[in-house]
Amino acid sequence: VSFPYTQRKTDMTCKGCERNNQMMEMDIESAIDEQLSMELNHASNELRDQRLIVCSACPALSEHTCKHCGCFVRFRASLQDKRCPLGKW
């Protein structure tokens, strides 16, 4: 018996990855802004920008996300008490 909708294992994708790929730039920025609005201890704009410059040159950066810890880098860099998981800031 043949099942026409059966996919080979190599054709399947991660459901989480599919959802992540569907998130548009504006959705990501909106989600980060919403979460930051609930936080109290923000870094200064200058400190955040310095941190983001370091992140932009890091091989662990994957678009908006740190491959090492999985966070949105702008969110992490915007909080005073957060540190880079690789010790870069």
Side-chain angles (χ1 to χ4, degrees):
V1 175
S2 175
F3 296 99
Y5 299 106
T6 303
Q7 292 181 324
R8 293 185 320 232
K9 192 170 189 168
T10 58
D11 293 339
M12 298 180 79
T13 59
C14 165
K15 298 295 183 202
C17 293
E18 286 178 15
R19 280 190 297 275
N20 287 341
N21 289 337
Q22 293 172 355
M23 249 185 132
M24 298 177 70
E25 180 92 16
M26 192 176 350
D27 294 333
I28 292 170
E29 294 302 319
S30 178
I32 292 170
D33 288 340
E34 181 179 343
Q35 187 63 40
L36 283 171
S37 73
M38 294 182 257
E39 299 291 335
L40 300 175
N41 199 9
H42 291 238
S44 68
N45 290 342
E46 182 180 336
L47 178 58
R48 179 203 60 217
D49 292 347
Q50 289 172 351
R51 290 173 170 182
L52 290 174
I53 289 169
V54 172
C55 291
S56 70
C58 182
L61 178 64
S62 176
E63 294 187 30
H64 302 279
T65 308
C66 174
K67 290 189 248 180
H68 189 75
C69 70
C71 71
F72 286 122
V73 294
R74 187 169 71 84
F75 177 75
R76 188 178 200 95
S78 296
L79 297 175
Q80 180 68 37
D81 297 332
K82 292 292 184 180
R83 300 290 177 257
C84 169
L86 298 173
K88 295 184 177 192
W89 47 261

